[in-house]
Amino acid sequence: MATKVKVLGFWCSPFVFRVVWALKLKGVEFEYIEEDIFNKSTRLLELNPVHKKVPVLVHDDKVIVESLVILEYIDETWPQDPLLPQDPYERATARFWAKFADEKLMQTAWKSTWTKGEEKEDALKATMEVLEKIEGELKGKSYFGGENKYAYLEIAIGWINYLIPIWEEIASIQFLDPKRFPAITAWKSKFLDNTLIKETLPPREKLLIYFRERVKHWEIDATIRELTETKLEN
């Protein structure tokens, strides 16, 4: 019996790309529905009333949210070309690094692009410390999944390879120094040269325009918060 699969997403979301890559890898046909995350549709709010975010996977009458949860659902529902390793310890390790990158790297790297002064220095230092740990995990390997270029962790933290260079250019800083992070640099090159990845990523210029606007937005919000706090203190 044929099943219907839909993905609600946003064109540049790294969380959405995880789901798209996983479905394409496994040969699962799906309907992609673009959402405006700044003007959320009734459909999105009804399907994900808790977090009100993309991605959302709709599989027949089942709704699954949170990108890493969706990856595991996809892997278990369509077992061909498995993402997660079979060994329980290796599975746990992959999940750890995916969560680590989301919680530690994404936040600090993004913060480095729009903050200033001491706050920016602290964010940049924290970003480098996280990258050093990821470099250590990847050292001596072609991919995080060994020789499996489509492993769970490749898909989960693949955003590093296309988003961080965008943020570097916007902020005129360097995160991924090839001399300091040779393993990540080599992995990045192989990742971006992959046909499946190249076919799905949006144009670089479009990403630059979008994130420059987001940086301006965050800078304005930070200034307003600072002025409000100063007024309250006085």
Side-chain angles (χ1 to χ4, degrees), residues 88-125:
Y89 173 74
E90 292 179 359
R91 282 202 304 272
T93 300
R95 290 176 179 128
F96 166 81
W97 284 108
K99 191 169 185 288
F100 177 78
D102 272 8
E103 293 181 352
K104 301 295 183 181
L105 181 58
M106 190 175 289
Q107 180 179 355
T108 58
W110 173 240
K111 197 173 183 180
S112 299
T113 66
W114 62 270
T115 52
K116 297 178 181 179
E118 186 176 343
E119 190 175 8
K120 186 183 189 74
E121 291 177 6
D122 290 344
L124 184 56
K125 180 182 177 182

Side-chain angles (χ1 to χ4, degrees), residues 190-216:
K190 291 193 288 283
F191 183 90
L192 294 177
D193 195 46
N194 188 293
T195 302
L196 185 148
I197 304 302
K198 288 193 291 188
E199 289 178 347
T200 53
L201 287 179
R204 177 181 175 81
E205 189 58 36
K206 187 177 179 182
L207 286 169
L208 283 169
I209 292 170
Y210 172 77
F211 280 106
R212 283 194 179 109
E213 287 301 313
R214 297 313 300 157
V215 165
K216 290 179 184 178

